Amino acid sequence: MSKKINIAIFLGIIFSLGIIFIVKEDELLSYAERRYLMQVDDIKLEDIKEGEIVTKIEKYALDQFPLREELRALKAFANYNIFMKEENQGIAVTQNTMYEIKDSYDYNKLTNSIASINTVANSMFYENDCYFVLIPDKSCYINSNNHSYLDIEKELTKFLHPRISYIPIYHTLSLDSYYKTDLHWSQDKLTDTKNTILNYIGYNESENYSSNKIEGYFGSYAVKSALSYIEDDIIYLTNERINSAQVFNYETNTTTNVYDLAKLQDEKSLDKYDIFLSGANPLLKVSAPESTGKTLILFRDSFGSSLAPLLLEYYDTIYLVDLRYIDASLLQNFIDISSDYDVIFLYSTDMMEIPGNFK
């Protein structure tokens, strides 16, 4: 009798989920996974002719399945707490912080990325002062990490062109400098890093900032692992100079503030970290009231979005270039490059392992 009851319950659950799947409206976004979900309108009649109909229907069903997020969380709980796995979806937790497990580091790809940067520096900025800053992965500050930042740094400096000065920052950071649930560093922990960079170039530092808090931040590692019991606060730093600066986006031809707080209310914004300079963009110009007459061209990945506002301390204008989205040869169409501009290449160890990110 109990067997029949169990079967009936199981069939009832399956039937109920099927009904919910049919009648519920499609979810547009998965905030947990930071991506847009497939919609029923994405399945076209021509997919039948092209033989893609089954694949698309399967993807749609997986994206719109009822209780999808709850099931992801249940899987994560089981992996970490029942099966006692070290990781879920490649994300491990130690010292109350999440990090990505990496088996190895591809030094051949690192070398290719360095060659791309050397080419940009020597072909476009042969008269400029050029600097390189390598950002450690947060796992480099965890004992169980299986590749060494110092080894990556040694390899990089061996192939970096001699006219590009290397600025070491490893000693200015710690595990606490990064969000617990994300790969990025936390802006309020970057004072020593910013000072080290400016001092190396030849500027004195200042620390006149006010702190502002955004609560309830779940970063990319929390998203990937489906863990929600650890969360962060985003702390962003302001002062009169940062508040008066304006950011021009060459792609959208729009102007915003340094901190785009509208991202917090934008239902299409998937990551609160995008308040820093509105997230990923090919080319931005940040302009502050003139006081130093200094201009910086900052080649960067997403880490640069939160560091750049602090560099307004000594630069009136900062151009932020993301070579994932714009070819370096096109910059001369937008920037009247002068030999007295400082040039910084600021990249994470992860970014340097993907040479295709440098156009």
Side-chain angles (χ1 to χ4, degrees):
M1 187 68 176
S2 60
K3 184 177 180 180
K4 292 182 178 179
I5 293 175
N6 290 336
I7 293 174
I9 293 174
F10 175 76
L11 292 176
I13 292 173
I14 296 299
F15 179 76
S16 299
L17 290 175
I19 294 298
I20 295 173
F21 179 77
I22 293 171
V23 302
K24 80 178 187 71
E25 293 186 6
D26 286 350
E27 299 287 340
L28 176 63
L29 305 171
S30 170
Y31 289 98
E33 294 177 272
R34 303 248 177 90
R35 68 181 181 89
Y36 290 93
L37 300 175
M38 189 171 184
Q39 309 293 297
V40 68
D41 293 340
D42 295 330
I43 303 174
K44 310 293 185 183
L45 287 177
E46 51 264 32
D47 294 329
I48 299 176
K49 297 179 182 179
E50 296 173 3
E52 297 181 0
I53 188 68
V54 174
T55 301
K56 285 200 170 185
I57 290 175
E58 181 181 7
K59 184 174 182 349
Y60 170 73
L62 289 172
D63 275 6
Q64 299 297 339
F65 192 81
L67 303 177
R68 183 171 178 275
E69 302 302 340
E70 289 77 5
L71 291 173
R72 289 184 69 243
L74 179 61
K75 176 179 177 289
F77 176 84
N79 281 340
Y80 285 116
N81 300 286
I82 298 176
F83 302 115
M84 305 306 293
K85 290 186 177 181
E86 180 186 6
E87 53 80 27
N88 182 54
Q89 298 292 106
I91 304 300
V93 182
T94 187
Q95 302 178 49
N96 201 40
T97 192
M98 302 176 186
Y99 69 99
E100 188 171 9
I101 294 179
K102 300 175 183 178
D103 295 330
S104 61
Y105 193 85
D106 194 326
Y107 288 92
N108 289 328
K109 291 181 178 179
L110 170 69
T111 303
N112 291 337
S113 295
I114 298 169
S116 297
I117 289 171
N118 288 340
T119 298
V120 171
N122 290 318
S123 63
M124 300 181 62
F125 304 104
Y126 51 88
E127 294 182 332
N128 299 76
D129 292 330
C130 296
Y131 307 89
F132 190 97
V133 179
L134 181 66
I135 303 169
D137 183 270
K138 68 187 294 187
S139 63
C140 294
Y141 298 97
I142 298 174
N143 292 333
S144 61
N145 179 55
N146 45 27
H147 67 266
S148 169
Y149 172 82
L150 299 180
D151 290 339
I152 299 171
E153 183 181 55
K154 181 179 179 180
E155 190 75 4
L156 182 142
T157 53
K158 181 169 67 175
F159 290 99
L160 195 65
H161 195 280
R163 65 178 304 276
I164 305 176
S165 301
Y166 180 74
I167 304 178
I169 62 167
Y170 181 80
H171 64 286
T172 70
L173 300 164
S174 67
L175 186 60
D176 187 53
S177 302
Y178 299 78
Y179 295 115
K180 296 188 292 290
T181 65
D182 195 70
L183 73 162
H184 292 107
W185 52 19
S186 183
Q187 190 191 52
D188 60 310
K189 305 295 177 59
L190 298 183
T191 301
D192 288 345
T193 304
K194 177 264 301 181
N195 290 344
T196 296
I197 294 171
L198 291 178
N199 286 339
Y200 193 98
I201 296 174
Y203 303 132
N204 296 320
E205 72 274 3
S206 172
E207 299 180 12
N208 181 28
Y209 301 106
S210 299
S211 296
N212 308 268
K213 180 188 291 187
I214 298 172
E215 297 180 341
Y217 174 55
F218 294 93
S220 60
Y221 290 163
V223 168
K224 189 174 181 181
S225 66
L227 288 179
S228 59
Y229 70 91
I230 301 175
E231 68 178 66
D232 286 295
D233 295 327
I234 291 181
I235 308 296
Y236 64 98
L237 304 178
T238 57
N239 57 25
E240 184 176 348
R241 187 165 172 80
I242 292 175
N243 288 338
S244 61
Q246 292 290 294
V247 182
F248 179 73
N249 187 320
Y250 285 87
E251 182 179 39
T252 62
N253 199 35
T254 57
T255 300
T256 61
N257 296 324
V258 169
Y259 301 116
D260 189 359
L261 299 182
K263 292 289 186 181
L264 299 177
Q265 283 76 45
D266 184 355
E267 64 176 12
K268 294 185 178 181
S269 179
L270 298 176
D271 192 344
K272 290 182 181 180
Y273 185 78
D274 285 350
I275 68 159
F276 296 104
L277 300 176
S278 303
N281 290 284
L283 180 61
L284 301 174
K285 179 182 180 181
V286 186
S287 304
E290 185 173 351
S291 63
T292 67
K294 295 289 185 180
T295 296
L296 169 67
I297 299 178
L298 179 64
F299 290 87
R300 53 85 183 218
D301 55 22
S302 54
F303 284 80
S305 296
S306 51
L307 177 66
L310 307 185
L311 298 178
L312 286 171
E313 192 174 292
Y314 278 96
Y315 292 101
D316 301 327
T317 302
I318 301 177
Y319 293 98
L320 289 98
V321 183
D322 195 330
L323 292 178
R324 291 173 294 182
Y325 309 113
I326 186 172
D327 193 299
S329 63
L330 298 177
L331 293 180
Q332 298 175 82
N333 297 332
F334 304 99
I335 305 174
D336 186 13
I337 299 172
S338 174
S339 60
D340 63 349
Y341 291 177
D342 291 332
V343 178
I344 297 178
F345 297 91
L346 176 82
Y347 290 115
S348 63
T349 54
D350 282 353
M351 180 74 168
M352 294 299 293
E353 199 183 7
I354 309 175
N357 279 337
F358 298 91
K359 294 185 181 296

